[in-house]
Amino acid sequence: MAPRATVDVEFSVRVTEPGPAAISIAAAQADTEELKVSWHGESESVEFEHGTRAEVFELPTGEHRVTYHAERALTEPEPEPVTLADAAVFTRPSRYCPSDRIAGLVPPELFAGQDSRTRVDTIVRHVHERLSYVVGSSRGTDDAIDTLLAGQGVCRDFAHVCISLCRFLDIPARYAGVYAPGLSPMDFHAVFEAAIDGHWYVFDATHLAPRRTMLRISTGRDAADTAFLATLGCELDFLGSTVFATTDTALPQEDWTELVVLS
């Protein structure tokens, strides 16, 4: 029997101006799941490409709580092909991944590899060694260049730098929000996928959690496409969240040299 992952999320908001907001915290391909909101509002479900889903709610004024529970079997998926549309979109610069402005910060060793696999492995190793993971060290407006100049960041910053370097080398790369059993401190996590031999594989320069037990939440060009909460006309204050992602078996031993498919 395949091991199973369990996810529990809770967060609260204070709405000061009523209106719609999109909540995107659903685990892709969950076997069972339940999203509850304290104001008992109706929602409209929106699905995007590559497994991203959002629930759009009309939020009334006041404090509200959102809870989410999901369970899913951890099976080994087949690698997803990189389409021509993927290659066109995920080699372009984006809000947090300014690959067109990063030339002066690209280390020479990245050009030594003769194939995408070698170059991506070199990028991951370089970013892991170059950056320090420091909780609270970055701002929501920081892009990959800000992170490289600061020399530190959190998971989204590591992913943005790796994506930018991949795209600079014309390797399609995309951002993924995930649940990551074993992550410490536990929270929403960010990784990236790169095109290797025509298929998508997941990489994580933070080395903070095993990739084989990660569950995809959202996929996009960068963090701008994958926010777990986005206002669409309302005004609110975010009051905090808790995230728990666990498995019913021991976490797998990670081999960072292996190609892994994000489930």
Side-chain angles (χ1 to χ4, degrees), residues 15-161:
V15 178
T16 56
E17 184 69 30
I23 298 171
S24 185
I25 57 176
Q29 302 176 3
D31 298 325
T32 61
E33 62 180 348
E34 184 177 32
L35 176 66
K36 292 182 179 180
V37 294
S38 60
W39 61 95
H40 305 296
E42 295 295 324
S43 68
E44 182 177 351
S45 184
V46 181
E47 294 191 9
F48 304 91
E49 290 185 310
H50 311 300
T52 305
R53 290 180 288 151
E55 295 292 328
V56 179
F57 290 89
E58 286 286 339
L59 304 184
T61 303
E63 289 192 11
H64 309 296
R65 183 169 63 95
V66 176
T67 60
Y68 176 72
H69 174 82
E71 297 181 17
R72 210 193 84 183
L74 294 170
T75 56
E76 184 73 20
E78 291 295 320
E80 179 188 347
V82 179
T83 67
L84 188 58
D86 288 339
V89 171
F90 296 116
T91 52
R92 299 175 185 173
S94 59
R95 165 66 180 85
Y96 293 107
C97 301
S99 51
D100 56 338
R101 297 191 291 112
I102 206 170
L105 298 172
V106 178
E109 61 264 28
L110 297 192
F111 297 97
Q114 298 301 310
D115 58 83
S116 296
R117 172 72 186 280
T118 302
R119 288 186 168 186
V120 174
D121 284 342
T122 303
I123 287 169
V124 173
R125 183 171 58 253
H126 169 76
V127 174
H128 178 71
E129 295 172 354
R130 170 73 174 77
L131 299 182
S132 298
Y133 186 92
V134 180
V135 176
S137 61
S138 64
R139 303 163 298 178
T141 56
D142 285 352
D143 63 19
I145 293 175
D146 296 318
T147 300
L148 282 170
L149 294 176
Q152 60 185 14
V154 294
C155 57
R156 60 171 260 161
D157 304 307
F158 278 63
H160 286 155
V161 172

Side-chain angles (χ1 to χ4, degrees), residues 76 117 120-121 124 196 201-204 211-212 252-261:
E76 184 73 20
R117 172 72 186 280
V120 174
D121 284 342
V124 173
I196 306 293
Y201 294 94
V202 61
F203 299 87
D204 183 6
R211 293 168 293 165
R212 292 188 182 279
Q253 186 69 34
E254 178 64 89
D255 180 352
W256 298 105
T257 66
E258 288 185 342
L259 287 178
V260 175
V261 179

